[in-house]
Amino acid sequence: MKPKMLVIASLLSTSALMASTGFADEPLSIDLYQATEDGQGSPIGDVTFEDTQYGLLITPSLKNLTPGEHGWHVHERPDCGPATKDGEKTAAAAAGSHYDPQKKGAHKGPYHSDGHLGDLPALFVADDGQATRSVLAPRLEAADLHGRALVVHEGGDNYSDDPKALGGGGARVACGVIQAP
């Protein structure tokens, strides 16, 4: 077989393998913005999602966040606008609750099958306000994300509903809408 034909055959078999395993040809990328009580704020970067054989690889390229650990989750609705929650106007509350299609009703983190599917591994922000460390969400795939929102919370996440509900991450500080391709 000629070298050109070998390259073409190799590319075709790789594409067929990717299609048969369900992995997307192109990673999904969304923009994230500061979440404010008045709506969408300034852009803070983007997040890329890519299916792998081990789950969903999530790669942030974010800036202007408070250093430290942050909880972040896939939320049920594709809306980052403010909404009234408990009588107060709340940033990104229109995104709704953590994505929980199986109605588990518990916040147990990304590795526990009895919790919300939208629970993600922690987002780590460096001292310079940038987040670039990839994480792996083993129970998710890119197809689960369409028509949802990605929300970053003010504080860390203890992957529990105790002592505070939903991991205790606090206010929603950033949000991005995930649209179907």
Side-chain angles (χ1 to χ4, degrees):
M1 196 178 267
K2 293 183 179 180
K4 215 181 224 183
M5 293 302 286
L6 284 173
V7 170
I8 292 171
S10 175
L11 288 172
L12 288 173
S13 65
T14 301
S15 295
L17 178 62
M18 288 178 76
S20 70
T21 58
F23 299 139
D25 290 338
E26 293 292 322
L28 172 65
S29 182
I30 65 161
D31 295 324
L32 256 67
Y33 299 86
Q34 291 176 337
T36 74
E37 291 179 8
D38 296 322
Q40 180 177 296
S42 301
I44 64 164
D46 61 71
V47 177
T48 302
F49 303 92
E50 188 171 6
D51 286 324
T52 75
Q53 66 182 355
Y54 304 108
L56 189 65
L57 182 65
I58 304 169
T59 304
S61 179
L62 304 173
K63 61 183 180 181
N64 298 326
L65 289 167
T66 304
E69 181 181 313
H70 293 263
W72 59 337
H73 310 93
V74 176
H75 282 247
E76 61 189 350
R77 291 192 294 273
D79 188 342
C80 290
T84 301
K85 184 177 179 182
D86 300 326
E88 292 184 30
K89 195 172 182 183
T90 304
S97 298
H98 296 180
Y99 179 51
D100 187 19
Q102 297 158 339
K103 309 287 187 236
K104 300 285 185 171
H107 182 73
K108 295 191 176 190
Y111 311 109
H112 200 292
S113 61
D114 286 334
H116 304 139
L117 188 58
D119 295 345
L120 300 177
L123 173 70
F124 292 95
V125 179
D127 289 342
D128 64 0
Q130 295 187 50
T132 59
R133 186 184 302 174
S134 297
V135 297
L136 187 67
R139 299 184 315 134
L140 279 172
E141 55 187 53
D144 295 322
L145 305 177
H146 303 300
R148 311 271 170 242
L150 179 65
V151 175
V152 177
H153 293 270
E154 178 179 55
D157 189 334
N158 70 357
Y159 305 128
S160 174
D161 286 316
D162 184 46
K164 291 186 178 180
L166 304 173
R172 299 170 185 204
V173 298
C175 187
V177 171
I178 308 166
Q179 297 293 348

